[in-house]
């Protein structure tokens, strides 16, 4: 999809779902842990899905690791809990595999093999190999064989397999070896006005422009609509979050960004994953584009008790 007309139209508030042939799909990034750091159960995920569908209509989520070891004392087998839940609630899930090193990828693949069966494969929308691996310094040449191996290993069960990275790693050519390989069938582009320290008044313009740069670069290599591309992450922290440069945390700004940025992208046919579904008070701080740390515990569209912070409709 070309976004060349998206930015100016969005900024003049002339967006309308009636002006395009297909509206984008809204999904949510979903954590694997309860507020007490312990792993979610099938029942927990089912409650998550009920809240998401009931308040947004969304029926697709994405995860980040197969074996979530972010809290070493409570390692989570994510597919073992989430796959029965997506089947029970008729959701779709994009399963992420860590792949910054060969050892990490091999471990993730081994953990996924017994869980990804023909029973659950129809509910797995895609597999992503690596999450912002290029942004963290992994080369495309090192990541590509892992994507290729995943395609060989799981391709008969899941047709969409690729990677997800920051918009600038696609726009600046860091991912070109992956794009020219013909291997990925699915890509996700992360873009945040917040993590670039933009004031809320500039956030939508930054977000849409970043998406345009990344997707335009991808399509120069693979062709227009030749590969499925999603916005893998975008969002804004609510009340209790930290500021980042000129980006001010707060639920009012989060609502503003959702209504102006996320809704604009959706109206123009861009599939968007909102980061994230629910607040996660247990999480450590994250590092943005300038190298400064920021809070990631209040990024949810919902509170930890699954209450929406504002109407999640466009």
């Amino acid at each position: 999809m070309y976004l060349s007309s998206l930015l100016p139209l969005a900024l003049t508030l002339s967006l309308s779902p009636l002006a395009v042939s297909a509206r984008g799909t809204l999904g949510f990034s979903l954590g694997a842990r309860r507020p007490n750091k312990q792993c979610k159960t099938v029942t927990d995920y089912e409650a998550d899905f009920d809240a998401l569908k009931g308040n947004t209509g969304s029926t697709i989520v994405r995860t980040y690791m197969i074996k979530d070891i972010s809290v070493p004392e409570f390692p989570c087998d994510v597919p073992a809990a989430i796959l029965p839940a997506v089947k029970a609630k008729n959701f779709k899930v994009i399963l992420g595999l860590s792949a910054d090193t060969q050892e990490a990828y091999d471990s993730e693949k081994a953990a996924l093999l017994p869980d990804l069966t023909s029973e659950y494969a129809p509910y797995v929308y895609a597999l992503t190999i690596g999450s912002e691996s290029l942004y963290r310094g992994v080369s495309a040449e090192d990541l590509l064989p892992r994507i290729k191996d995943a395609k060989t290993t799981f391709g008969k069960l899941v047709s969409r397999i690729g990677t997800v990275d920051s918009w600038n790693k696609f726009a600046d050519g860091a991912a070109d070896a992956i794009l020219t390989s013909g291997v990925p069938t699915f890509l996700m582009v992360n873009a945040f006005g917040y993590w670039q320290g933009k004031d809320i008044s500039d956030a939508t313009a930054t977000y849409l422009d970043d998406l345009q740069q990344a997707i335009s670069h991808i399509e120069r290599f693979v062709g227009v609509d030749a590969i499925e591309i999603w916005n893998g992450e975008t969002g804004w922290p609510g009340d209790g979050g930290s500021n980042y440069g000129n980006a001010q945390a707060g639920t009012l700004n989060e609502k503003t960004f959702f209504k102006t940025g996320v809704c604009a992208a959706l109206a123009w046919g861009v599939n968007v994953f909102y980061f994230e579904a629910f607040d996660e008070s247990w999480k450590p701080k994250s590092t943005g584009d300038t190298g400064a740390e920021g809070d990631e515990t209040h990024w949810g569209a919902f509170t930890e008790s699954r209450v929406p912070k504002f109407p999640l409709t466009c």
Side-chain angles (χ1 to χ4, degrees):
M1 69 193 77
Y2 276 120
L3 301 185
S4 58
S5 61
L6 191 157
L7 180 58
L9 286 172
L11 297 181
T12 57
L13 303 180
S14 59
L15 285 171
S16 168
L18 299 176
V20 294
S21 58
R23 184 178 180 83
T25 296
L26 175 65
F28 287 86
S29 299
L30 189 60
R33 299 185 180 278
R34 298 171 171 176
N36 64 3
K37 299 185 180 182
Q38 294 187 356
C39 304
K40 287 182 180 178
T41 64
V42 175
T43 301
D44 291 324
Y45 282 118
E46 288 179 348
D48 288 347
F49 298 157
D50 286 342
L52 290 172
K53 185 175 182 179
N55 288 280
T56 73
S58 177
T59 57
I60 186 168
V61 296
R62 62 165 297 203
T63 67
Y64 291 84
M65 290 179 278
I66 301 303
K67 191 69 81 170
D68 187 331
I69 56 173
S70 54
V71 181
E73 61 268 35
F74 300 121
C76 302
D77 185 344
V78 176
I82 201 170
L83 289 178
V86 295
K87 180 182 178 183
K89 296 296 181 177
N90 197 28
F91 261 60
K92 299 286 188 180
V93 62
I94 295 177
L95 295 174
L97 285 75
S98 296
D100 284 0
T101 66
Q102 186 65 44
E103 180 182 13
Y105 168 72
D106 290 341
S107 176
E108 292 276 87
K109 181 178 77 167
L112 180 58
L113 280 168
D115 290 330
L116 184 53
T117 64
S118 58
E119 177 184 3
Y120 295 124
Y123 303 94
V124 178
Y125 190 82
L127 300 177
T128 53
I129 313 307
S131 178
E132 297 191 339
S133 294
L134 304 183
Y135 178 76
R136 287 192 294 274
V138 179
S139 71
E141 290 76 12
D142 284 339
L143 184 60
L144 178 59
R146 297 163 200 162
I147 302 171
K148 186 179 297 184
D149 180 77
K151 192 173 180 181
T152 300
T153 304
F154 301 109
K156 290 184 179 179
L157 291 172
V158 181
S159 61
R160 301 174 183 89
I161 296 176
T163 192
V164 51
D165 225 296
S166 178
W167 70 274
N168 55 313
K169 295 295 102 181
F170 290 107
D172 69 9
D176 285 358
I178 294 172
L179 301 181
T180 58
S181 70
V183 172
T185 54
F186 184 79
L187 294 170
M188 294 205 293
V189 177
N190 295 348
F192 289 87
Y194 171 87
W195 283 121
Q196 294 197 59
K198 298 297 183 180
D199 184 84
I200 191 63
S201 62
D202 297 324
T204 289
T206 297
Y207 163 60
L208 297 178
D209 184 62
D210 290 349
L211 281 180
Q212 178 183 343
Q213 290 185 57
I215 294 175
S216 295
H217 186 92
I218 292 168
E219 291 183 337
R220 280 199 294 271
F221 285 94
V222 304
V224 177
D225 294 329
I227 191 168
E228 189 169 340
I229 305 169
W230 285 56
N231 174 200
E233 283 183 352
T234 196
W236 199 275
D239 291 346
S242 60
N243 301 328
Y244 191 77
N246 291 326
Q248 303 292 300
T251 301
L252 180 59
N253 281 348
E254 182 179 11
K255 177 182 177 180
T256 297
F257 180 74
F258 185 90
K259 296 294 185 180
T260 61
V262 174
C263 289
L266 291 170
W268 281 86
V270 181
N271 299 321
V272 178
F273 272 106
Y274 190 80
F275 182 87
E276 59 184 330
F278 307 102
D279 283 348
E280 294 188 278
S281 60
W282 67 270
K283 293 179 75 173
K285 292 183 177 181
S286 292
T287 303
D289 288 355
T290 67
E293 288 188 335
D295 176 86
E296 267 202 4
T297 63
H298 296 87
W299 282 72
F302 296 72
T303 67
E304 285 186 316
S305 55
R306 304 188 180 94
V307 176
K309 296 179 180 178
F310 50 87
L312 294 164
T313 54
C314 295

